[in-house]
């Protein structure tokens, strides 16, 4: 059974950094791209970015709203994807989901950016 | 930046057909995906690659795409289908985007 578990969320001040983790199980992690999607309170879904598998270069793509501040990486030996978030803004407050393919999502982790 | 446009809300009576549209300039060349999200839950994929239904999704859910518009159809909508629905697709530069979401009311 495919499982994705996000962790690392919490309350952080504007301008600070936070790293989220997505621990995967139930599939060959290294063979798949991993994506991050967020949802601000009461708002719609927003694509954050993704990292390709090593077979496709392990390259990344980001939404314009986070480009230059967020970095996605992966550790295939541990089956973990990361979302490093720097220079956080209040508008980054959201539930952050990781997903693989289109059909497997984690339950999300809440990030609150507030002073 | 690329946008997908959905109606904010759709309302039908139980047993009626609900249609939710999603318009985007790249849809003639790119697949649309559809997600259902119920309150407090993670999204669930209900349609992929315009018209394919994942296992476990009821047959009343179907999808189609023509030109710049993709459509999610729920034939014989049920009360339990009340949820927010999002289309999802990509532009030609590797960026992905969600539509703004459509709140489906069945009552």
């Amino acid at each position: 059974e495919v499982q994705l578990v996000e962790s690392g969320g919490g309350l952080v001040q504007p301008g600070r950094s936070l790293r989220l983790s997505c621990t995967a199980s139930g599939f060959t992690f290294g063979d798949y791209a991993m994506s991050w999607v967020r949802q601000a309170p009461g708002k719609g879904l927003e694509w954050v970015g993704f990292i390709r598998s090593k077979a496709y270069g392990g390259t990344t793509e980001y939404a314009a709203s986070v480009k230059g501040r967020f970095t996605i990486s992966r550790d295939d030996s541990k089956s973990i994807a990361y979302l490093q978030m720097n220079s956080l803004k209040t508008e980054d407050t959201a539930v952050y989901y990781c997903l693989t393919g289109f059909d497997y999502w984690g339950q999300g982790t809440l990030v609150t950016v507030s002073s | 930046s690329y946008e997908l446009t959905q109606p904010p809300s759709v309302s039908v009576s139980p047993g009626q057909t609900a249609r939710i549209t999603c318009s985007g300039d790249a849809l003639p060349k790119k697949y649309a995906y559809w997600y259902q999200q119920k309150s407090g839950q993670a999204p669930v994929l209900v349609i992929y690659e315009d018209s394919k239904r994942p296992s476990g999704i009821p047959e009343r859910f179907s999808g189609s795409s023509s030109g710049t518009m993709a459509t999610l159809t729920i034939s014989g909508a049920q009360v339990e289908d009340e949820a927010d629905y999002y289309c999802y697709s990509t532009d030609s530069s590797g960026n992905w985007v969600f539509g703004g979401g459509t709140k489906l009311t069945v009552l």
Side-chain angles (χ1 to χ4, degrees), chain A residues 35 37 39 43-47 50 61-62 97 99 102-103 105-107, chain B residues 33 35 37 41-43 45 86 88 93-100:
Chain A
S35 301
V37 169
Q39 188 169 35
K43 302 296 184 183
L45 300 171
E46 180 186 13
W47 175 74
F50 74 94
E61 306 288 347
Y62 299 97
Y97 297 98
L99 59 152
F102 295 95
D103 46 354
W105 293 58
Q107 283 304 302
Chain B
Y33 300 78
Y35 288 97
Q37 187 180 33
Q41 298 181 19
L45 182 70
Y86 297 90
Y88 184 50
S93 60
N95 297 312
W96 287 78
V97 64
F98 287 94

PDB file of all heavy atoms in Angstrom, chain A residues 35 37 39 43-47 50 61-62 97 99 102-103 105-107, chain B residues 33 35 37 41-43 45 86 88 93-100:
ATOM      1  N   SER A  35       5.828  15.488  -6.006  1.00  0.00           N
ATOM      2  CA  SER A  35       5.301  16.846  -6.114  1.00  0.00           C
ATOM      3  C   SER A  35       4.870  17.377  -4.757  1.00  0.00           C
ATOM      4  O   SER A  35       4.604  16.597  -3.836  1.00  0.00           O
ATOM      5  CB  SER A  35       4.091  16.876  -7.057  1.00  0.00           C
ATOM      6  OG  SER A  35       4.421  16.423  -8.354  1.00  0.00           O
ATOM      7  N   VAL A  37       2.035  20.271  -3.219  1.00  0.00           N
ATOM      8  CA  VAL A  37       0.854  21.110  -3.475  1.00  0.00           C
ATOM      9  C   VAL A  37       0.462  21.712  -2.136  1.00  0.00           C
ATOM     10  O   VAL A  37       0.595  21.063  -1.094  1.00  0.00           O
ATOM     11  CB  VAL A  37      -0.300  20.256  -4.049  1.00  0.00           C
ATOM     12  CG1 VAL A  37      -1.613  21.046  -4.058  1.00  0.00           C
ATOM     13  CG2 VAL A  37       0.050  19.766  -5.452  1.00  0.00           C
ATOM     14  N   GLN A  39      -2.451  24.335   0.160  1.00  0.00           N
ATOM     15  CA  GLN A  39      -3.812  24.866   0.215  1.00  0.00           C
ATOM     16  C   GLN A  39      -3.915  25.819   1.398  1.00  0.00           C
ATOM     17  O   GLN A  39      -3.875  25.381   2.551  1.00  0.00           O
ATOM     18  CB  GLN A  39      -4.833  23.736   0.338  1.00  0.00           C
ATOM     19  CG  GLN A  39      -6.268  24.184   0.221  1.00  0.00           C
ATOM     20  CD  GLN A  39      -7.215  23.008   0.074  1.00  0.00           C
ATOM     21  OE1 GLN A  39      -6.999  21.936   0.645  1.00  0.00           O
ATOM     22  NE2 GLN A  39      -8.279  23.180  -0.701  1.00  0.00           N
ATOM     23  N   LYS A  43      -9.014  28.228   0.921  1.00  0.00           N
ATOM     24  CA  LYS A  43      -8.717  28.532  -0.475  1.00  0.00           C
ATOM     25  C   LYS A  43      -8.550  27.252  -1.282  1.00  0.00           C
ATOM     26  O   LYS A  43      -8.685  26.146  -0.775  1.00  0.00           O
ATOM     27  CB  LYS A  43      -7.437  29.369  -0.564  1.00  0.00           C
ATOM     28  CG  LYS A  43      -7.495  30.677   0.211  1.00  0.00           C
ATOM     29  CD  LYS A  43      -8.552  31.617  -0.337  1.00  0.00           C
ATOM     30  CE  LYS A  43      -8.520  32.951   0.378  1.00  0.00           C
ATOM     31  NZ  LYS A  43      -9.603  33.859  -0.109  1.00  0.00           N
ATOM     32  N   GLY A  44      -8.251  27.420  -2.561  1.00  0.00           N
ATOM     33  CA  GLY A  44      -8.095  26.292  -3.452  1.00  0.00           C
ATOM     34  C   GLY A  44      -6.696  25.686  -3.413  1.00  0.00           C
ATOM     35  O   GLY A  44      -5.824  26.128  -2.669  1.00  0.00           O
ATOM     36  N   LEU A  45      -6.511  24.671  -4.232  1.00  0.00           N
ATOM     37  CA  LEU A  45      -5.226  23.995  -4.317  1.00  0.00           C
ATOM     38  C   LEU A  45      -4.256  24.799  -5.172  1.00  0.00           C
ATOM     39  O   LEU A  45      -4.648  25.403  -6.172  1.00  0.00           O
ATOM     40  CB  LEU A  45      -5.420  22.609  -4.946  1.00  0.00           C
ATOM     41  CG  LEU A  45      -6.345  21.658  -4.202  1.00  0.00           C
ATOM     42  CD1 LEU A  45      -6.614  20.421  -5.041  1.00  0.00           C
ATOM     43  CD2 LEU A  45      -5.759  21.280  -2.852  1.00  0.00           C
ATOM     44  N   GLU A  46      -2.997  24.795  -4.776  1.00  0.00           N
ATOM     45  CA  GLU A  46      -1.957  25.495  -5.530  1.00  0.00           C
ATOM     46  C   GLU A  46      -0.760  24.577  -5.710  1.00  0.00           C
ATOM     47  O   GLU A  46      -0.197  24.084  -4.729  1.00  0.00           O
ATOM     48  CB  GLU A  46      -1.518  26.781  -4.820  1.00  0.00           C
ATOM     49  CG  GLU A  46      -0.440  27.537  -5.587  1.00  0.00           C
ATOM     50  CD  GLU A  46       0.111  28.743  -4.850  1.00  0.00           C
ATOM     51  OE1 GLU A  46      -0.148  28.885  -3.638  1.00  0.00           O
ATOM     52  OE2 GLU A  46       0.818  29.555  -5.473  1.00  0.00           O
ATOM     53  N   TRP A  47      -0.373  24.337  -6.946  1.00  0.00           N
ATOM     54  CA  TRP A  47       0.820  23.560  -7.228  1.00  0.00           C
ATOM     55  C   TRP A  47       2.049  24.350  -6.777  1.00  0.00           C
ATOM     56  O   TRP A  47       2.180  25.538  -7.063  1.00  0.00           O
ATOM     57  CB  TRP A  47       0.896  23.282  -8.726  1.00  0.00           C
ATOM     58  CG  TRP A  47       2.135  22.600  -9.193  1.00  0.00           C
ATOM     59  CD1 TRP A  47       2.467  21.291  -9.011  1.00  0.00           C
ATOM     60  CD2 TRP A  47       3.211  23.194  -9.927  1.00  0.00           C
ATOM     61  NE1 TRP A  47       3.689  21.040  -9.591  1.00  0.00           N
ATOM     62  CE2 TRP A  47       4.164  22.189 -10.166  1.00  0.00           C
ATOM     63  CE3 TRP A  47       3.470  24.479 -10.418  1.00  0.00           C
ATOM     64  CZ2 TRP A  47       5.350  22.420 -10.861  1.00  0.00           C
ATOM     65  CZ3 TRP A  47       4.647  24.706 -11.110  1.00  0.00           C
ATOM     66  CH2 TRP A  47       5.571  23.688 -11.326  1.00  0.00           C
ATOM     67  N   PHE A  50       7.759  20.252  -8.299  1.00  0.00           N
ATOM     68  CA  PHE A  50       8.043  18.828  -8.260  1.00  0.00           C
ATOM     69  C   PHE A  50       9.500  18.558  -8.602  1.00  0.00           C
ATOM     70  O   PHE A  50      10.212  19.422  -9.123  1.00  0.00           O
ATOM     71  CB  PHE A  50       7.109  18.045  -9.196  1.00  0.00           C
ATOM     72  CG  PHE A  50       7.399  18.178 -10.676  1.00  0.00           C
ATOM     73  CD1 PHE A  50       8.204  17.263 -11.341  1.00  0.00           C
ATOM     74  CD2 PHE A  50       6.847  19.218 -11.415  1.00  0.00           C
ATOM     75  CE1 PHE A  50       8.458  17.372 -12.696  1.00  0.00           C
ATOM     76  CE2 PHE A  50       7.095  19.336 -12.769  1.00  0.00           C
ATOM     77  CZ  PHE A  50       7.906  18.406 -13.412  1.00  0.00           C
ATOM     78  N   GLU A  61      10.970  21.743 -10.956  1.00  0.00           N
ATOM     79  CA  GLU A  61      10.162  22.844 -11.492  1.00  0.00           C
ATOM     80  C   GLU A  61       9.407  23.455 -10.329  1.00  0.00           C
ATOM     81  O   GLU A  61       8.992  22.749  -9.412  1.00  0.00           O
ATOM     82  CB  GLU A  61       9.171  22.346 -12.545  1.00  0.00           C
ATOM     83  CG  GLU A  61       9.763  21.556 -13.691  1.00  0.00           C
ATOM     84  CD  GLU A  61      10.568  22.400 -14.665  1.00  0.00           C
ATOM     85  OE1 GLU A  61      10.477  23.643 -14.600  1.00  0.00           O
ATOM     86  OE2 GLU A  61      11.297  21.795 -15.494  1.00  0.00           O
ATOM     87  N   TYR A  62       9.205  24.771 -10.395  1.00  0.00           N
ATOM     88  CA  TYR A  62       8.548  25.475  -9.304  1.00  0.00           C
ATOM     89  C   TYR A  62       7.511  26.454  -9.826  1.00  0.00           C
ATOM     90  O   TYR A  62       7.651  27.024 -10.908  1.00  0.00           O
ATOM     91  CB  TYR A  62       9.575  26.262  -8.480  1.00  0.00           C
ATOM     92  CG  TYR A  62      10.628  25.405  -7.842  1.00  0.00           C
ATOM     93  CD1 TYR A  62      11.874  25.228  -8.441  1.00  0.00           C
ATOM     94  CD2 TYR A  62      10.384  24.754  -6.636  1.00  0.00           C
ATOM     95  CE1 TYR A  62      12.841  24.433  -7.866  1.00  0.00           C
ATOM     96  CE2 TYR A  62      11.354  23.957  -6.046  1.00  0.00           C
ATOM     97  CZ  TYR A  62      12.580  23.798  -6.669  1.00  0.00           C
ATOM     98  OH  TYR A  62      13.540  23.004  -6.093  1.00  0.00           O
ATOM     99  N   TYR A  97       0.842  19.420   0.979  1.00  0.00           N
ATOM    100  CA  TYR A  97       0.696  18.010   0.640  1.00  0.00           C
ATOM    101  C   TYR A  97       1.842  17.574  -0.262  1.00  0.00           C
ATOM    102  O   TYR A  97       2.250  18.317  -1.168  1.00  0.00           O
ATOM    103  CB  TYR A  97      -0.592  17.768  -0.144  1.00  0.00           C
ATOM    104  CG  TYR A  97      -1.886  18.057   0.556  1.00  0.00           C
ATOM    105  CD1 TYR A  97      -2.551  19.265   0.359  1.00  0.00           C
ATOM    106  CD2 TYR A  97      -2.480  17.109   1.385  1.00  0.00           C
ATOM    107  CE1 TYR A  97      -3.764  19.522   0.976  1.00  0.00           C
ATOM    108  CE2 TYR A  97      -3.687  17.363   2.001  1.00  0.00           C
ATOM    109  CZ  TYR A  97      -4.327  18.563   1.789  1.00  0.00           C
ATOM    110  OH  TYR A  97      -5.533  18.807   2.397  1.00  0.00           O
ATOM    111  N   LEU A  99       2.759  14.477  -3.062  1.00  0.00           N
ATOM    112  CA  LEU A  99       2.065  13.475  -3.852  1.00  0.00           C
ATOM    113  C   LEU A  99       3.006  12.854  -4.859  1.00  0.00           C
ATOM    114  O   LEU A  99       4.015  13.444  -5.259  1.00  0.00           O
ATOM    115  CB  LEU A  99       0.842  14.050  -4.568  1.00  0.00           C
ATOM    116  CG  LEU A  99       1.012  15.199  -5.536  1.00  0.00           C
ATOM    117  CD1 LEU A  99      -0.083  15.166  -6.577  1.00  0.00           C
ATOM    118  CD2 LEU A  99       0.941  16.522  -4.804  1.00  0.00           C
ATOM    119  N   PHE A 102      -0.360  11.013  -9.855  1.00  0.00           N
ATOM    120  CA  PHE A 102      -1.492  11.917  -9.694  1.00  0.00           C
ATOM    121  C   PHE A 102      -2.442  11.439  -8.609  1.00  0.00           C
ATOM    122  O   PHE A 102      -3.319  12.193  -8.184  1.00  0.00           O
ATOM    123  CB  PHE A 102      -2.249  12.046 -11.018  1.00  0.00           C
ATOM    124  CG  PHE A 102      -1.441  12.700 -12.095  1.00  0.00           C
ATOM    125  CD1 PHE A 102      -0.728  11.938 -13.017  1.00  0.00           C
ATOM    126  CD2 PHE A 102      -1.360  14.074 -12.180  1.00  0.00           C
ATOM    127  CE1 PHE A 102       0.040  12.545 -13.994  1.00  0.00           C
ATOM    128  CE2 PHE A 102      -0.602  14.688 -13.161  1.00  0.00           C
ATOM    129  CZ  PHE A 102       0.096  13.925 -14.066  1.00  0.00           C
ATOM    130  N   ASP A 103      -2.266  10.197  -8.160  1.00  0.00           N
ATOM    131  CA  ASP A 103      -3.308   9.622  -7.340  1.00  0.00           C
ATOM    132  C   ASP A 103      -2.939   9.295  -5.908  1.00  0.00           C
ATOM    133  O   ASP A 103      -3.801   8.861  -5.146  1.00  0.00           O
ATOM    134  CB  ASP A 103      -3.867   8.363  -8.031  1.00  0.00           C
ATOM    135  CG  ASP A 103      -2.775   7.449  -8.557  1.00  0.00           C
ATOM    136  OD1 ASP A 103      -1.603   7.836  -8.498  1.00  0.00           O
ATOM    137  OD2 ASP A 103      -3.103   6.353  -9.048  1.00  0.00           O
ATOM    138  N   TRP A 105      -1.645  10.848  -2.423  1.00  0.00           N
ATOM    139  CA  TRP A 105      -1.406  12.067  -1.661  1.00  0.00           C
ATOM    140  C   TRP A 105      -1.184  11.719  -0.195  1.00  0.00           C
ATOM    141  O   TRP A 105      -1.777  10.780   0.327  1.00  0.00           O
ATOM    142  CB  TRP A 105      -2.619  13.001  -1.730  1.00  0.00           C
ATOM    143  CG  TRP A 105      -2.911  13.593  -3.072  1.00  0.00           C
ATOM    144  CD1 TRP A 105      -3.159  12.919  -4.241  1.00  0.00           C
ATOM    145  CD2 TRP A 105      -3.020  14.978  -3.375  1.00  0.00           C
ATOM    146  NE1 TRP A 105      -3.414  13.810  -5.248  1.00  0.00           N
ATOM    147  CE2 TRP A 105      -3.345  15.080  -4.752  1.00  0.00           C
ATOM    148  CE3 TRP A 105      -2.894  16.147  -2.632  1.00  0.00           C
ATOM    149  CZ2 TRP A 105      -3.526  16.315  -5.392  1.00  0.00           C
ATOM    150  CZ3 TRP A 105      -3.072  17.369  -3.269  1.00  0.00           C
ATOM    151  CH2 TRP A 105      -3.382  17.450  -4.636  1.00  0.00           C
ATOM    152  N   GLY A 106      -0.360  12.530   0.464  1.00  0.00           N
ATOM    153  CA  GLY A 106      -0.299  12.455   1.902  1.00  0.00           C
ATOM    154  C   GLY A 106      -1.482  13.184   2.513  1.00  0.00           C
ATOM    155  O   GLY A 106      -2.316  13.749   1.795  1.00  0.00           O
ATOM    156  N   GLN A 107      -1.540  13.198   3.842  1.00  0.00           N
ATOM    157  CA  GLN A 107      -2.637  13.871   4.524  1.00  0.00           C
ATOM    158  C   GLN A 107      -2.345  15.348   4.778  1.00  0.00           C
ATOM    159  O   GLN A 107      -3.231  16.089   5.200  1.00  0.00           O
ATOM    160  CB  GLN A 107      -2.962  13.166   5.844  1.00  0.00           C
ATOM    161  CG  GLN A 107      -3.758  11.887   5.643  1.00  0.00           C
ATOM    162  CD  GLN A 107      -5.037  12.129   4.863  1.00  0.00           C
ATOM    163  OE1 GLN A 107      -5.889  12.916   5.237  1.00  0.00           O
ATOM    164  NE2 GLN A 107      -5.183  11.447   3.712  1.00  0.00           N
TER     165      GLN A 107
ATOM    166  N   TYR B  33      -6.863  16.586 -15.485  1.00  0.00           N
ATOM    167  CA  TYR B  33      -7.072  15.668 -14.367  1.00  0.00           C
ATOM    168  C   TYR B  33      -8.090  16.331 -13.462  1.00  0.00           C
ATOM    169  O   TYR B  33      -8.120  17.557 -13.332  1.00  0.00           O
ATOM    170  CB  TYR B  33      -5.763  15.418 -13.620  1.00  0.00           C
ATOM    171  CG  TYR B  33      -4.693  14.805 -14.494  1.00  0.00           C
ATOM    172  CD1 TYR B  33      -3.979  15.580 -15.392  1.00  0.00           C
ATOM    173  CD2 TYR B  33      -4.414  13.442 -14.429  1.00  0.00           C
ATOM    174  CE1 TYR B  33      -3.018  15.016 -16.223  1.00  0.00           C
ATOM    175  CE2 TYR B  33      -3.444  12.869 -15.249  1.00  0.00           C
ATOM    176  CZ  TYR B  33      -2.766  13.663 -16.145  1.00  0.00           C
ATOM    177  OH  TYR B  33      -1.823  13.102 -16.964  1.00  0.00           O
ATOM    178  N   TYR B  35      -9.937  16.340  -9.530  1.00  0.00           N
ATOM    179  CA  TYR B  35      -9.871  15.915  -8.132  1.00  0.00           C
ATOM    180  C   TYR B  35     -11.158  16.304  -7.413  1.00  0.00           C
ATOM    181  O   TYR B  35     -11.730  17.364  -7.655  1.00  0.00           O
ATOM    182  CB  TYR B  35      -8.696  16.584  -7.421  1.00  0.00           C
ATOM    183  CG  TYR B  35      -7.362  16.039  -7.846  1.00  0.00           C
ATOM    184  CD1 TYR B  35      -6.607  16.684  -8.817  1.00  0.00           C
ATOM    185  CD2 TYR B  35      -6.863  14.869  -7.283  1.00  0.00           C
ATOM    186  CE1 TYR B  35      -5.377  16.170  -9.208  1.00  0.00           C
ATOM    187  CE2 TYR B  35      -5.636  14.356  -7.671  1.00  0.00           C
ATOM    188  CZ  TYR B  35      -4.902  15.003  -8.636  1.00  0.00           C
ATOM    189  OH  TYR B  35      -3.692  14.494  -9.018  1.00  0.00           O
ATOM    190  N   GLN B  37     -12.468  16.978  -3.530  1.00  0.00           N
ATOM    191  CA  GLN B  37     -11.984  17.214  -2.172  1.00  0.00           C
ATOM    192  C   GLN B  37     -13.157  17.506  -1.254  1.00  0.00           C
ATOM    193  O   GLN B  37     -13.875  18.484  -1.436  1.00  0.00           O
ATOM    194  CB  GLN B  37     -10.982  18.368  -2.116  1.00  0.00           C
ATOM    195  CG  GLN B  37     -10.335  18.518  -0.744  1.00  0.00           C
ATOM    196  CD  GLN B  37      -9.351  19.651  -0.653  1.00  0.00           C
ATOM    197  OE1 GLN B  37      -9.509  20.693  -1.298  1.00  0.00           O
ATOM    198  NE2 GLN B  37      -8.306  19.472   0.153  1.00  0.00           N
ATOM    199  N   GLN B  41     -10.343  16.854   4.090  1.00  0.00           N
ATOM    200  CA  GLN B  41      -9.674  15.670   3.554  1.00  0.00           C
ATOM    201  C   GLN B  41      -8.731  16.030   2.414  1.00  0.00           C
ATOM    202  O   GLN B  41      -8.842  17.091   1.803  1.00  0.00           O
ATOM    203  CB  GLN B  41     -10.717  14.672   3.052  1.00  0.00           C
ATOM    204  CG  GLN B  41     -11.654  14.156   4.130  1.00  0.00           C
ATOM    205  CD  GLN B  41     -12.646  13.143   3.574  1.00  0.00           C
ATOM    206  OE1 GLN B  41     -12.459  12.562   2.510  1.00  0.00           O
ATOM    207  NE2 GLN B  41     -13.717  12.923   4.321  1.00  0.00           N
ATOM    208  N   ALA B  42      -7.785  15.128   2.159  1.00  0.00           N
ATOM    209  CA  ALA B  42      -6.910  15.290   1.002  1.00  0.00           C
ATOM    210  C   ALA B  42      -7.706  15.054  -0.282  1.00  0.00           C
ATOM    211  O   ALA B  42      -8.703  14.325  -0.280  1.00  0.00           O
ATOM    212  CB  ALA B  42      -5.745  14.305   1.084  1.00  0.00           C
ATOM    213  N   PRO B  43      -7.278  15.671  -1.375  1.00  0.00           N
ATOM    214  CA  PRO B  43      -7.974  15.451  -2.649  1.00  0.00           C
ATOM    215  C   PRO B  43      -7.893  13.999  -3.104  1.00  0.00           C
ATOM    216  O   PRO B  43      -6.951  13.279  -2.784  1.00  0.00           O
ATOM    217  CB  PRO B  43      -7.214  16.366  -3.619  1.00  0.00           C
ATOM    218  CG  PRO B  43      -6.601  17.407  -2.745  1.00  0.00           C
ATOM    219  CD  PRO B  43      -6.243  16.689  -1.475  1.00  0.00           C
ATOM    220  N   LEU B  45      -8.265  11.663  -6.690  1.00  0.00           N
ATOM    221  CA  LEU B  45      -8.325  11.699  -8.151  1.00  0.00           C
ATOM    222  C   LEU B  45      -9.572  10.956  -8.626  1.00  0.00           C
ATOM    223  O   LEU B  45      -9.766   9.795  -8.276  1.00  0.00           O
ATOM    224  CB  LEU B  45      -7.070  11.035  -8.721  1.00  0.00           C
ATOM    225  CG  LEU B  45      -6.918  11.010 -10.236  1.00  0.00           C
ATOM    226  CD1 LEU B  45      -6.636  12.422 -10.771  1.00  0.00           C
ATOM    227  CD2 LEU B  45      -5.793  10.049 -10.647  1.00  0.00           C
ATOM    228  N   TYR B  86     -11.613  20.129  -8.513  1.00  0.00           N
ATOM    229  CA  TYR B  86     -10.540  20.903  -9.118  1.00  0.00           C
ATOM    230  C   TYR B  86     -10.040  20.212 -10.386  1.00  0.00           C
ATOM    231  O   TYR B  86      -9.804  19.004 -10.388  1.00  0.00           O
ATOM    232  CB  TYR B  86      -9.347  21.031  -8.164  1.00  0.00           C
ATOM    233  CG  TYR B  86      -9.639  21.778  -6.892  1.00  0.00           C
ATOM    234  CD1 TYR B  86     -10.095  21.111  -5.764  1.00  0.00           C
ATOM    235  CD2 TYR B  86      -9.443  23.161  -6.819  1.00  0.00           C
ATOM    236  CE1 TYR B  86     -10.368  21.794  -4.590  1.00  0.00           C
ATOM    237  CE2 TYR B  86      -9.707  23.852  -5.645  1.00  0.00           C
ATOM    238  CZ  TYR B  86     -10.165  23.170  -4.540  1.00  0.00           C
ATOM    239  OH  TYR B  86     -10.422  23.859  -3.383  1.00  0.00           O
ATOM    240  N   TYR B  88      -6.836  20.074 -13.141  1.00  0.00           N
ATOM    241  CA  TYR B  88      -5.380  20.152 -12.970  1.00  0.00           C
ATOM    242  C   TYR B  88      -4.761  19.842 -14.321  1.00  0.00           C
ATOM    243  O   TYR B  88      -5.122  18.859 -14.970  1.00  0.00           O
ATOM    244  CB  TYR B  88      -4.958  19.119 -11.926  1.00  0.00           C
ATOM    245  CG  TYR B  88      -3.518  19.078 -11.504  1.00  0.00           C
ATOM    246  CD1 TYR B  88      -2.824  20.224 -11.111  1.00  0.00           C
ATOM    247  CD2 TYR B  88      -2.859  17.851 -11.412  1.00  0.00           C
ATOM    248  CE1 TYR B  88      -1.511  20.148 -10.661  1.00  0.00           C
ATOM    249  CE2 TYR B  88      -1.544  17.767 -10.964  1.00  0.00           C
ATOM    250  CZ  TYR B  88      -0.877  18.915 -10.576  1.00  0.00           C
ATOM    251  OH  TYR B  88       0.412  18.843 -10.121  1.00  0.00           O
ATOM    252  N   SER B  93       5.508  24.554 -20.575  1.00  0.00           N
ATOM    253  CA  SER B  93       6.832  24.823 -20.015  1.00  0.00           C
ATOM    254  C   SER B  93       7.130  24.019 -18.760  1.00  0.00           C
ATOM    255  O   SER B  93       8.110  24.306 -18.074  1.00  0.00           O
ATOM    256  CB  SER B  93       6.967  26.321 -19.709  1.00  0.00           C
ATOM    257  OG  SER B  93       5.997  26.723 -18.779  1.00  0.00           O
ATOM    258  N   GLY B  94       6.307  23.032 -18.451  1.00  0.00           N
ATOM    259  CA  GLY B  94       6.572  22.177 -17.301  1.00  0.00           C
ATOM    260  C   GLY B  94       5.921  22.628 -16.022  1.00  0.00           C
ATOM    261  O   GLY B  94       6.095  22.004 -14.976  1.00  0.00           O
ATOM    262  N   ASN B  95       5.205  23.732 -16.063  1.00  0.00           N
ATOM    263  CA  ASN B  95       4.485  24.194 -14.885  1.00  0.00           C
ATOM    264  C   ASN B  95       3.085  23.598 -14.842  1.00  0.00           C
ATOM    265  O   ASN B  95       2.431  23.457 -15.872  1.00  0.00           O
ATOM    266  CB  ASN B  95       4.380  25.719 -14.890  1.00  0.00           C
ATOM    267  CG  ASN B  95       5.730  26.384 -14.806  1.00  0.00           C
ATOM    268  OD1 ASN B  95       6.559  26.029 -13.979  1.00  0.00           O
ATOM    269  ND2 ASN B  95       5.967  27.334 -15.682  1.00  0.00           N
ATOM    270  N   TRP B  96       2.658  23.264 -13.643  1.00  0.00           N
ATOM    271  CA  TRP B  96       1.322  22.702 -13.453  1.00  0.00           C
ATOM    272  C   TRP B  96       0.453  23.731 -12.744  1.00  0.00           C
ATOM    273  O   TRP B  96       0.945  24.619 -12.043  1.00  0.00           O
ATOM    274  CB  TRP B  96       1.412  21.405 -12.651  1.00  0.00           C
ATOM    275  CG  TRP B  96       1.979  20.293 -13.465  1.00  0.00           C
ATOM    276  CD1 TRP B  96       3.299  20.097 -13.763  1.00  0.00           C
ATOM    277  CD2 TRP B  96       1.254  19.255 -14.120  1.00  0.00           C
ATOM    278  NE1 TRP B  96       3.431  18.992 -14.569  1.00  0.00           N
ATOM    279  CE2 TRP B  96       2.189  18.457 -14.796  1.00  0.00           C
ATOM    280  CE3 TRP B  96      -0.107  18.921 -14.197  1.00  0.00           C
ATOM    281  CZ2 TRP B  96       1.815  17.336 -15.539  1.00  0.00           C
ATOM    282  CZ3 TRP B  96      -0.476  17.808 -14.934  1.00  0.00           C
ATOM    283  CH2 TRP B  96       0.469  17.027 -15.593  1.00  0.00           C
ATOM    284  N   VAL B  97      -0.850  23.586 -12.932  1.00  0.00           N
ATOM    285  CA  VAL B  97      -1.762  24.545 -12.336  1.00  0.00           C
ATOM    286  C   VAL B  97      -3.091  23.871 -12.031  1.00  0.00           C
ATOM    287  O   VAL B  97      -3.511  22.963 -12.758  1.00  0.00           O
ATOM    288  CB  VAL B  97      -1.952  25.762 -13.268  1.00  0.00           C
ATOM    289  CG1 VAL B  97      -2.622  25.364 -14.569  1.00  0.00           C
ATOM    290  CG2 VAL B  97      -2.724  26.869 -12.583  1.00  0.00           C
ATOM    291  N   PHE B  98      -3.724  24.318 -10.966  1.00  0.00           N
ATOM    292  CA  PHE B  98      -5.082  23.895 -10.636  1.00  0.00           C
ATOM    293  C   PHE B  98      -6.062  24.976 -11.065  1.00  0.00           C
ATOM    294  O   PHE B  98      -5.745  26.177 -11.010  1.00  0.00           O
ATOM    295  CB  PHE B  98      -5.229  23.681  -9.124  1.00  0.00           C
ATOM    296  CG  PHE B  98      -4.553  22.454  -8.607  1.00  0.00           C
ATOM    297  CD1 PHE B  98      -3.260  22.510  -8.102  1.00  0.00           C
ATOM    298  CD2 PHE B  98      -5.209  21.231  -8.605  1.00  0.00           C
ATOM    299  CE1 PHE B  98      -2.633  21.381  -7.610  1.00  0.00           C
ATOM    300  CE2 PHE B  98      -4.598  20.097  -8.119  1.00  0.00           C
ATOM    301  CZ  PHE B  98      -3.305  20.174  -7.622  1.00  0.00           C
ATOM    302  N   GLY B  99      -7.251  24.545 -11.427  1.00  0.00           N
ATOM    303  CA  GLY B  99      -8.324  25.502 -11.570  1.00  0.00           C
ATOM    304  C   GLY B  99      -8.712  26.034 -10.199  1.00  0.00           C
ATOM    305  O   GLY B  99      -8.279  25.522  -9.167  1.00  0.00           O
ATOM    306  N   GLY B 100      -9.520  27.067 -10.184  1.00  0.00           N
ATOM    307  CA  GLY B 100      -9.886  27.697  -8.928  1.00  0.00           C
ATOM    308  C   GLY B 100     -10.825  26.870  -8.055  1.00  0.00           C
ATOM    309  O   GLY B 100     -11.027  27.195  -6.882  1.00  0.00           O
TER     310      GLY B 100
END
